[in-house]
Amino acid sequence: MKVCFRGFKFLCMFILVTMTIFGKVTKIDIISFNDFHGNVAEDTRAKGKNIGMAKMVSYVNEARKENPNTIVVSGGDNYQGTAISNLTFGAPVTLMMKSMKVTASAVGNHEFDWGSERIAKWAQDGKFDYLAANIYDKTTGKPVSWAKPYKMLNVDGVKVALIGLSTEQTKYQTKVEFVKNIEFKPAEVSAKHWIKYLKDGKDKMGVPNVIIAITHIPSAQDAKMVISGDELNRLTKVEGLDGVITGHSHKTVSGMMNGKPVIQAYKYGRALGKLHVVVEDGKVISITPSINMVGNNKSDIIPDSETTKLLAKQQNKLSGVLGVKLGVLKGELIHDRKGSLTPLGYWASNVMRKATKSQVAITNGGGLRRTLHKGDITMGDMYEIMPFDNQIVVVKVKGSDLKKLIDHGIGADFMTDGQFAGLKVKYDPTKEYENRVVSMTLEDGTPIVDDEVYTVATNDFIVSGGDKYDFSKAIEVKDLFIPIRDVLVDDIKTNKGIEIPNIKDILVPVK
């Protein structure tokens, strides 16, 4: 017994000495996704990349088995985007968030698409926290009550602080009525404030060892792996910040900016990001960013059985609506959102134009979310193509202002290009933004005259300033209170499908 005791005592002393010499090393994985947009169902087509909620949950469960010190977070824009999510106000997404044990989420601009009233309820039902350090209530001058500025966690003895930040673009990339009483402060200003607050030990848990920003702030990365983004550039210069998770721009980003690790995990659950944090004796040794393009190998992921059942239950409730066949598409009606006029954008605009007997139609490219694929067109497709409940507005504008509106939609760096019909436009891509239109006619070749008045069909989002469109000089504004999606559905039913338009002469670059 004495020999055993002495041996055990020696082992304990050895462990203590080793820990004293080398210190305690803790490895923490922060797994992130962003811009999920309600894509709870797996895209089972041959080239489909969306892995769906059941495989998302399964992936996270396996990650936690490999490292129990795993935190799961979202960069925002969780709910809006698919029929099954929109028609249930995000019910299946909330189930996914709860099953994944999401700790916190940034507030995306599309979290406001049904008003801010639902945000707190999503967090409550999903058992996570929305974090919004730079979103302030104009009436109180304080951070909004439905979210927290930050969240502190104790992960195996390491204190991790998560600060939530949203893009300033939110103020013009959602309906004005939903954010009119909200102020979006610069991310770097709020980050400095809350980092100082935390560093001063004002949280009851004490001073954090690691501070990570979970944001819905855009980022991009070029072929040379250089990361860009104005808001992000300012944020990553803030002292005391250890890493940044981004979103909003639907890009794949993994690298360093101003010495800070930065990630963005593409979109729709097609990728998952990870910040691998190594802490020794309370000090951050390294943070390594990486992206797993899970959509490329989704057949390797076994879906979580319980989550599969939860999704099936939601799908069964809506099967009578989503599965309704409207017509047939014999090819691909493309909308890649990477710039310029698209066949889908032109078709949707042209349907709006014809339905209102207008000369021209203009809509925002971001209001259309994906390509319409070959085959049967269902009501579910139409909710995914146009998930927003925008209404048709008919305005009258002078020709000079019409040119400015079209020019505004060409080559913007903060939004998907504007879509239109009823015009033929030549533009110079080498010119400065909003000075690119060279010539413009109606589709029949009649030149646009500056002082003449033209009737334009558009939507209530951009009429009210969405995507920075300026309709302030409109001579007449008439809201028809007709959902654009309904007009598109009626057109498909009438024509028993969609003829793919030839748009090669509609928007032409010139030198």
Side-chain angles (χ1 to χ4, degrees), residues 7 40 55 132 173 176 208 236 242 249 299 315 345 351 356 402 418 499:
V40 292
K55 289 189 175 182
Q173 290 197 342
V176 173
T236 50
D242 294 304
S249 47
S299 60
Q315 289 173 323
V351 171
T356 58
L402 178 58
E499 290 290 330

Side-chain angles (χ1 to χ4, degrees), residues 263-496:
I263 57 172
Q264 183 179 174
Y266 195 27
K267 62 179 180 180
Y268 306 162
R270 297 176 182 180
L272 289 164
K274 182 167 74 174
L275 291 180
H276 181 65
V277 184
V278 179
V279 179
E280 183 176 349
D281 281 344
K283 182 180 179 181
V284 176
I285 302 303
S286 64
I287 301 180
T288 307
S290 63
I291 299 291
N292 187 343
M293 301 300 293
V294 291
N296 294 340
N297 301 290
K298 63 189 180 74
S299 60
D300 296 336
I301 305 173
I302 300 172
D304 179 74
S305 58
E306 287 303 312
T307 310
T308 300
K309 292 175 184 177
L310 291 173
L311 176 59
K313 188 175 180 180
Q314 293 289 326
Q315 289 173 323
N316 289 337
K317 289 180 181 179
L318 297 175
S319 60
V321 176
L322 304 186
V324 174
K325 179 180 173 180
L326 306 173
V328 177
L329 180 63
K330 295 182 179 180
E332 297 280 292
L333 198 57
I334 295 171
H335 186 67
D336 57 17
R337 299 190 61 195
K338 293 179 181 178
S340 194
L341 184 68
T342 69
L344 176 65
Y346 174 85
W347 170 77
S349 300
N350 204 38
V351 171
M352 292 166 60
R353 183 180 70 86
K354 291 186 297 182
T356 58
K357 296 181 172 58
S358 299
Q359 294 165 286
V360 178
I362 302 172
T363 194
N364 55 309
L368 299 163
R369 305 304 288 185
R370 70 162 174 85
T371 292
L372 186 58
H373 300 293
K374 181 179 179 180
D376 291 345
I377 307 168
T378 66
M379 183 61 80
D381 289 325
M382 296 311 296
Y383 271 95
E384 293 181 11
I385 294 302
M386 180 169 278
F388 314 110
D389 296 324
N390 295 127
Q391 300 174 154
I392 294 181
V393 178
V394 177
V395 303
K396 291 183 179 179
V397 298
K398 287 186 176 181
S400 56
D401 294 316
L402 178 58
K403 289 178 182 177
K404 290 178 181 178
L405 291 167
I406 295 298
D407 220 336
H408 178 77
I410 299 175
D413 62 2
F414 59 89
M415 66 176 187
T416 305
D417 278 15
Q419 307 296 299
F420 64 87
L423 297 168
K424 287 187 176 181
V425 179
K426 292 183 179 180
Y427 72 102
D428 186 344
T430 67
K431 298 293 184 182
E432 290 185 359
Y433 175 56
E434 294 190 324
N435 288 284
R436 292 173 176 155
V437 170
V438 174
S439 66
M440 184 186 297
T441 70
L442 294 174
E443 277 196 24
D444 64 7
T446 305
I448 298 298
V449 179
D450 285 352
D451 291 332
E452 286 193 16
V453 175
Y454 298 87
T455 305
V456 180
T458 184
N459 66 64
D460 57 336
F461 170 67
I462 62 174
V463 161
S464 61
D467 281 350
K468 295 186 180 179
Y469 275 90
D470 183 6
F471 282 84
S472 62
K473 293 183 180 179
I475 298 166
E476 182 180 298
V477 178
K478 185 177 182 181
D479 193 332
L480 303 185
F481 300 102
I482 299 172
I484 296 172
R485 188 190 308 108
D486 290 356
V487 174
L488 301 183
V489 167
D490 288 344
D491 186 82
I492 295 170
K493 287 180 177 178
T494 299
N495 295 296
K496 298 181 180 179

Side-chain angles (χ1 to χ4, degrees), residues 5 184 295 496:
F5 178 75
F184 295 89
K496 298 181 180 179

Side-chain angles (χ1 to χ4, degrees), residues 58-71:
S58 178
Y59 179 94
V60 167
N61 288 343
E62 289 301 312
R64 282 202 175 94
K65 288 179 183 178
E66 293 179 14
N67 183 5
N69 297 332
T70 294
I71 303 167

Side-chain angles (χ1 to χ4, degrees), residues 244-266:
V244 184
I245 293 165
T246 68
H248 188 59
S249 47
H250 295 195
K251 304 290 186 182
T252 303
V253 177
S254 178
M256 308 295 287
M257 188 179 200
N258 295 320
K260 306 283 197 311
V262 174
I263 57 172
Q264 183 179 174
Y266 195 27

